[in-house]
Amino acid sequence: MPSSVHEVLIELVRRRPTLVAELLTSALGLSLPEFDHARVDSGDLPDIEPTEYRADLVVTLTDADVPVLGIVVEVQLQRDDDKAWSWPVYLTTLRARLRCLVLLVVVCPNERAAGHCRRPITVAPGFTLSPMVLSPANVPVVSDTHTALERPDLAALSAIAHRNDPERDSILTALAATAHDSADGQRYIDLVLAALPKAAARHFLEMLMTTDTSPYYSQYFKQLYADGKTEGKAEGEAKALLTVLATRGFHVPEALAAEINGCTDDARLTTWITRAVTADTLEAIFDDLAI
């Protein structure tokens, strides 16, 4: 089952497929063919045998609607020796389908997986596949607000790739500015919250609720957080949670509202708030309650 980090990284490229082309030139130093459009194509790469091969994502660069480069995007969180057998199939199948040059780009949020994925794959004599790997070592650190506002997708990728970096707080602060700038920025923040470790996500959510420059979920969300400090942490967090649920359009049954207001476990309330930012159902937020 793909993890939230895996799905978020794929979603970043899906939302703006030009991102992978820009990183190939800026982070990996490649020279790409001239193109005027980038699109997401089917990741289904079947073989003539019944085995199914499915890439995480395929981005096709086109010039006047003619494919000029096919890019297979794979997210790899840990070592997987089977990929040395399936990745060449992805590329040769895509090459036959598009009839143009193809590349394999592997996105690794940690250097241990990246080191393994960088190893050349010998397919046949004279035929070696060298994956292009994006990792914390070459993903740009976006810690200034100006860049984050111009490129919220890159800022989001930076926050995920460098989530354990000493500069993490400055990266998250820059990303927080995008929440105030546009709804699109808020969507990228939601993706980052889903991908961060729980402790980092709680820290980022607190930052979003308290910053004066980048309010998240509007000014009254900030006020509720401030009220919580005077009313008592649990009471304030319960009120903040109910507000997040209302802002996201959830109907909260009276029994659930009573459970939330009666909860005195700060850690439990914080967990619910963190989940409420991105979850699609009440069940996903309150998996420890009978709803």
Side-chain angles (χ1 to χ4, degrees):
M1 179 68 68
S3 71
S4 58
V5 175
H6 180 282
E7 294 304 302
V8 165
L9 289 170
I10 290 300
E11 183 62 21
L12 283 175
V13 180
R14 190 188 307 279
R15 288 183 177 216
R16 188 170 176 273
T18 309
L19 173 63
V20 71
E22 292 169 348
L23 289 169
L24 280 170
T25 57
S26 64
L28 298 177
L30 287 187
S31 178
L32 303 184
E34 292 291 330
F35 69 97
D36 56 22
H37 181 65
R39 71 187 186 212
V40 173
D41 277 345
S42 171
D44 292 337
L45 302 167
D47 197 359
I48 56 174
E49 298 296 328
T51 303
E52 180 184 7
Y53 292 98
R54 182 188 296 269
D56 286 334
L57 198 68
V58 170
V59 173
T60 303
L61 307 185
T62 62
D63 186 19
D65 291 331
V66 177
V68 293
L69 183 66
I71 306 171
V72 173
V73 181
E74 285 277 287
V75 173
Q76 204 61 38
L77 307 182
Q78 58 190 5
R79 175 172 178 164
D80 185 349
D81 292 333
D82 287 342
K83 296 298 185 179
W85 303 103
S86 59
W87 283 343
V89 178
Y90 293 178
L91 287 187
T92 53
T93 305
L94 183 63
R95 179 175 177 270
R97 186 170 84 195
L98 298 178
R99 296 185 178 275
C100 68
L101 293 174
V102 291
L103 280 176
L104 170 65
V105 176
V106 185
V107 184
C108 298
N110 63 80
E111 288 302 326
R112 178 177 295 181
H116 178 72
C117 292
R118 287 191 178 97
R119 297 177 182 177
I121 300 169
T122 301
V123 182
F127 179 5
T128 301
L129 169 60
S130 298
M132 309 302 298
V133 179
L134 289 167
S135 72
N138 50 30
V139 170
V141 173
V142 178
S143 57
D144 64 286
T145 301
H146 177 73
T147 302
L149 290 173
E150 283 194 339
R151 295 291 309 282
D153 55 340
L154 185 60
L157 179 62
S158 175
I160 297 169
H162 302 289
R163 62 194 187 280
N164 296 316
D165 192 278
E167 290 190 59
R168 185 186 69 188
D169 281 1
S170 61
I171 295 170
L172 293 177
T173 299
L175 179 63
T178 66
H180 183 64
D181 187 61
S182 67
D184 196 45
Q186 291 184 7
R187 286 192 290 269
Y188 281 119
I189 284 175
D190 286 347
L191 288 174
V192 171
L193 280 167
L196 289 176
K198 288 183 179 180
R202 286 196 296 268
H203 175 70
F204 187 30
L205 187 59
E206 181 173 301
M207 182 188 300
L208 290 165
M209 290 190 290
T210 58
T211 178
D212 289 329
T213 58
S214 305
Y216 192 63
Y217 286 125
S218 79
Q219 179 65 30
Y220 71 82
F221 193 100
K222 271 179 62 180
Q223 188 58 49
L224 286 175
Y225 182 80
D227 290 345
K229 293 183 177 180
T230 57
E231 297 174 5
K233 187 174 181 182
E235 292 88 341
E237 287 190 343
K239 186 181 289 186
L241 173 57
L242 289 170
T243 301
V244 174
L245 294 172
T247 301
R248 298 205 60 215
F250 286 113
H251 170 69
V252 181
E254 289 185 8
L256 177 58
E259 182 79 22
I260 293 170
N261 285 318
C263 182
T264 57
D265 186 336
D266 292 338
R268 195 181 190 194
L269 285 164
T270 300
T271 297
W272 287 342
I273 290 174
T274 303
R275 292 175 181 171
V277 173
T278 57
D280 294 324
T281 65
L282 289 175
E283 288 76 12
I285 303 170
F286 304 100
D287 62 354
D288 53 344
L289 297 178
I291 300 177

